[in-house]
Amino acid sequence: MHRLVRFLTRNRGFITFMLCMVVFRSAVADWNVVPTGSMQPTIRIGDRILVDKLAYDLRLPLTHVSLRHLADPQRGDIVVLDSPAARERLVKRVIGLPGDEVAMRSNVLFINGHAAGYAASHEQGIHDDLCDPAHYETERYGALRHAIRLSNGHPSPLSNFGPTRVPPGQYLLLGDDRDNSMDSRYFGFFARSEIVGRAHHVLVSLDPQQHYLPRGDRFGAALH
């Protein structure tokens, strides 16, 4: 017991710092490594993204208990969620809000009966294009503007779905790599309580295909 007390006394500064870091990362802001390509081209494999944990709720540290509701996710937000259905932490884009009717026809998105607009775009540096050639388009619906990736040879079997109505308190989330994303098409709607924050910037990006060399052009890049 005396040894433990001496240890705590000698290291109280470090222990206090570590406790503060745990609380900060749990309730204020965190950074997550993105190991998959489901949000390409917006988020690249190897990006370390900054997650604002105060974007929607003030939560009790180390829990999902909301102490104060601050805002609700908006269409186009890139959100981080802890999904019991997926059994892992996911990063996806908000597409359908509570009450929306959402459908997809050959990867063309329909929200409340209106089709999104699409314009060809160009992306470089996506290693998956070497084994799975793809093309890129900018998807537009109201204020929603972002790039999506569409496989040329391997379209998703769920490039057609709906129409489906988003229930109250839940959201329809999709990945930007539409033919390579496990999202609401597989797991169903995601509850508001599962969403833990909003991703808005890349902190650091390391390229796993190039011996984890840094991608300097992505440091500090905003996520749209």
Side-chain angles (χ1 to χ4, degrees):
M1 186 67 179
H2 292 296
R3 290 183 179 179
L4 177 59
V5 172
R6 286 199 301 268
F7 174 82
L8 294 176
T9 301
R10 291 174 182 174
N11 297 278
R12 61 180 179 272
F14 175 74
I15 294 171
T16 300
F17 171 77
M18 292 303 297
L19 288 174
C20 289
M21 282 297 296
V22 169
V23 171
F24 180 84
R25 293 191 63 178
S26 172
V28 181
D30 197 2
W31 51 92
N32 293 117
V33 178
V34 179
T36 69
S38 69
M39 281 296 293
Q40 293 183 127
T42 308
I43 301 177
R44 308 289 177 93
I45 298 174
D47 281 353
R48 274 67 172 166
I49 58 174
L50 179 64
V51 180
D52 181 4
K53 294 285 189 74
L54 292 175
Y56 308 121
D57 294 280
L58 174 62
R59 295 179 185 267
L60 184 67
L62 304 178
T63 76
H64 283 186
V65 176
S66 177
L67 300 176
R68 184 178 180 185
H69 175 270
L70 301 176
D72 285 318
Q74 300 299 304
R75 195 185 331 277
D77 287 0
I78 299 173
V79 297
V80 175
L81 62 150
D82 288 326
S83 168
R87 299 182 180 180
E88 63 178 335
R89 177 159 289 192
L90 300 177
V91 181
K92 303 296 177 185
R93 188 181 296 276
V94 177
I95 298 296
L97 304 177
D100 282 346
E101 183 184 80
V102 184
M104 185 175 282
R105 297 289 178 264
S106 299
N107 273 324
V108 174
L109 189 65
F110 290 80
I111 303 176
N112 298 322
H114 300 285
Y118 295 86
S121 62
H122 181 68
E123 299 287 340
Q124 293 182 326
I126 306 294
H127 292 289
D128 285 357
D129 289 349
L130 298 176
C131 58
D132 180 23
H135 62 282
Y136 296 86
E137 297 184 8
T138 299
E139 186 172 74
R140 306 186 308 277
Y141 181 89
L144 183 69
R145 296 280 192 286
H146 65 101
I148 62 172
R149 180 178 185 269
L150 299 168
S151 173
N152 293 337
H154 301 92
S156 168
L158 293 178
S159 57
N160 296 277
F161 72 85
T164 183
R165 181 79 62 179
V166 184
Q170 302 196 51
Y171 294 82
L172 189 145
L173 310 180
L174 297 178
D176 289 351
D177 192 343
R178 289 291 162 79
D179 295 318
N180 184 34
S181 176
M182 299 290 286
D183 46 39
S184 283
R185 293 172 290 180
Y186 295 87
F187 300 122
F189 305 111
F190 294 98
R192 169 71 173 77
S193 59
E194 296 175 12
I195 298 174
V196 298
R198 179 181 180 184
H200 55 80
H201 279 83
V202 177
L203 284 176
V204 177
S205 183
L206 305 178
D207 191 343
Q209 301 296 325
Q210 298 294 329
H211 307 290
Y212 292 93
L213 290 174
R215 301 185 184 103
D217 61 324
R218 294 191 61 75
F219 283 35
L223 298 175
H224 301 291

